[in-house]
Amino acid sequence: MPETIEIIQNKTFLNDTLKGLKSKPKTLSSKYFYNKRGDELFQQIMKLDEYYLTDAEYSIFESQKDNILKAFSPNGEDFNLVEFGAGDGYKTKVLLQHFVSEEALFDYIPIDISQHALDGLAQSLAQTIPELSITPMQGDYFQVLDRLSHSSTRRNVILFLGSNIGNFSFDQAQNFLSKIREDINTGDQLLIGVDLKKDPTKILAAYNDSKGVTAAFNMNLLNRINEELGGNFNLEDFQHYPFYNPVTGECKSAIMSLKDQEVLVGEEIIAFKKWETMQTEISKKYSTDEIQELAEKCGFEVRYNLEDQNGYFVDSIWSAV
Ligand code: AVI
């Protein structure tokens, strides 16, 4: 990465971090989870038994791939399959493989801010599904969507998987999805993976796994601050602390201070009280009524709700109205 870009990124990271640490209650942005170590830890989380979300969505795709294709292309019409933040494509490959073997007419368009991630995905897909037509697009989701909707008359079908929508509050999710609606055409579709409200014990275990991988993922934010912003957090003096509110469906992850202490971040000293928290992430769980409400508020109609056999997770297929 060119040096000037790196300096600007670090400056944004520093400004966001100081702003969060000076607000009451303290916060840190979850967007900084994903450095190299954070990506590795998230890959490990997705393989944990306690993190049921990945298996649940995978099993929905395995068992419903034919219905999903029929929903996207009822009469064999061609379409653009646009994916936001495709990652390693582990779950999407189930659909891609099936669509290709059914000779569906579609172009797969993964969008990601990271060219590196897109190159890796394109390479691995070229090996596993060589017949696939793939057009990776690097950039901001909304800019790419806007370009696509104006340059092509094909139906756009957007995939937003893995409960990524849960990392927004309801209001933020509404803003995000309304912006998507503005950029697409009536009749375009969205398949959105949503984690459902369920036994709080099950949810909490997913964010407080017994191997401590999620704790390491959360606390990695402090490592990043130490390494990139000249911080001096002592990780022994802080603790990963997730909590779930079954009324709002919000599972929040926080980092808690275990003593009164002062920490250097950049050139500033930040004071912590014993038991004070920094909220790092929200992972919101939905009821099907809330999904319906969200879709309607954002200009969509819910066409299908596809659940896994345990009723843990839903892939909801929406149509832009
Ligand atoms: C990426 N996102 C949907 C994950 C989630 O479940 O909120 C991130 C995560 N945080 C802790 N474990 C997984």
Side-chain angles (χ1 to χ4, degrees):
M1 185 186 308
E3 214 171 297
T4 39
I5 295 183
E6 205 171 327
I7 291 169
I8 292 167
Q9 283 181 349
N10 263 2
K11 196 143 182 51
T12 315
F13 182 23
L14 179 65
N15 290 342
D16 289 350
T17 302
L18 287 174
K19 190 167 170 225
L21 292 178
K22 286 177 189 171
S23 55
K24 286 183 187 159
K26 292 182 170 64
T27 58
L28 289 173
S29 169
S30 60
K31 76 176 180 210
Y32 296 110
F33 278 150
Y34 300 95
N35 65 346
K36 187 164 177 288
R37 176 82 184 127
D39 285 344
E40 283 163 10
L41 287 165
F42 185 55
Q43 291 299 322
Q44 287 179 35
I45 288 175
M46 289 194 291
K47 294 194 182 107
L48 294 168
D49 285 342
E50 288 139 312
Y51 194 75
Y52 56 84
L53 291 80
T54 312
D55 284 350
E57 190 164 49
Y58 190 91
S59 78
I60 294 171
F61 289 175
E62 268 297 350
S63 60
Q64 306 272 359
K65 54 196 176 197
D66 209 35
N67 289 332
I68 294 174
L69 178 56
K70 288 198 182 104
F72 291 171
S73 170
N75 301 307
E77 310 91 327
D78 54 354
F79 60 100
N80 290 323
L81 187 66
V82 181
E83 180 163 15
F84 285 178
D88 65 359
Y90 167 69
K91 287 169 292 189
T92 319
K93 276 179 195 159
V94 175
L95 298 182
L96 298 176
Q97 190 81 64
H98 179 68
F99 294 179
V100 165
S101 65
E102 291 297 306
E103 298 180 4
L105 300 172
F106 74 107
D107 192 19
Y108 176 54
I109 308 180
I111 309 180
D112 207 293
I113 202 76
S114 154
Q115 188 62 48
H116 180 71
L118 288 173
D119 291 345
L121 180 65
Q123 248 177 31
S124 108
L125 285 171
Q127 278 167 6
T128 48
I129 318 178
E131 310 88 332
L132 180 71
S133 157
I134 168 169
T135 313
M137 289 195 167
Q138 191 269 332
D140 173 87
Y141 294 157
F142 299 110
Q143 283 166 0
V144 176
L145 259 194
D146 195 41
R147 246 190 287 152
L148 273 177
S149 306
H150 287 103
S151 64
S152 151
T153 52
R154 279 174 147 195
R155 167 181 290 168
N156 290 306
V157 176
I158 301 161
L159 303 178
F160 193 48
L161 309 181
S163 185
N164 282 318
I165 195 68
N167 296 133
F168 295 125
S169 67
F170 189 92
D171 288 350
Q172 289 168 337
Q174 193 183 326
N175 281 338
F176 177 78
L177 295 166
S178 302
K179 261 178 95 178
I180 291 182
R181 175 63 192 90
E182 276 169 26
D183 282 340
I184 60 179
N185 303 313
T186 303
D188 283 350
Q189 296 192 19
L190 178 66
L191 181 151
I192 179 164
V194 186
D195 196 19
L196 292 170
K197 286 181 171 167
K198 61 181 67 62
D199 181 348
T201 319
K202 179 95 190 155
I203 292 174
L204 264 180
Y207 293 88
N208 206 10
D209 65 275
S210 49
K211 290 193 180 129
V213 186
T214 312
F217 175 71
N218 195 21
M219 302 283 281
N220 183 48
L221 267 177
L222 303 188
N223 281 327
R224 271 200 83 175
I225 295 172
N226 285 349
E227 284 160 17
E228 296 173 38
L229 306 179
N232 68 351
F233 279 100
N234 181 357
L235 270 64
E236 303 280 296
D237 295 330
F238 290 89
Q239 180 185 296
H240 168 62
Y241 186 79
F243 52 104
Y244 177 63
N245 179 342
V247 179
T248 60
E250 290 177 343
C251 185
K252 291 184 174 172
S253 290
I255 298 176
M256 181 179 272
S257 174
L258 298 177
K259 61 180 198 183
D260 287 349
Q261 55 184 317
E262 289 185 339
V263 177
L264 186 69
V265 177
E267 289 174 356
E268 306 217 24
I269 292 180
I270 307 290
F272 290 87
K273 289 273 180 227
K274 191 173 184 180
W275 311 129
E276 188 177 358
T277 57
M278 297 170 264
Q279 190 197 301
T280 52
E281 188 182 41
I282 173 175
S283 299
K284 181 171 157 50
K285 314 303 171 192
Y286 282 80
S287 65
T288 42
D289 284 349
E290 283 175 306
I291 293 173
Q292 178 83 28
E293 183 190 339
L294 187 60
E296 282 170 9
K297 284 191 162 154
C298 302
F300 291 92
E301 165 190 275
V302 178
R303 303 267 318 283
Y304 307 96
N305 273 333
L306 309 175
E307 286 188 24
D308 65 300
Q309 57 177 9
N310 298 309
Y312 289 161
F313 198 93
V314 63
D315 280 297
S316 193
I317 302 182
W318 300 358
S319 219
V321 286

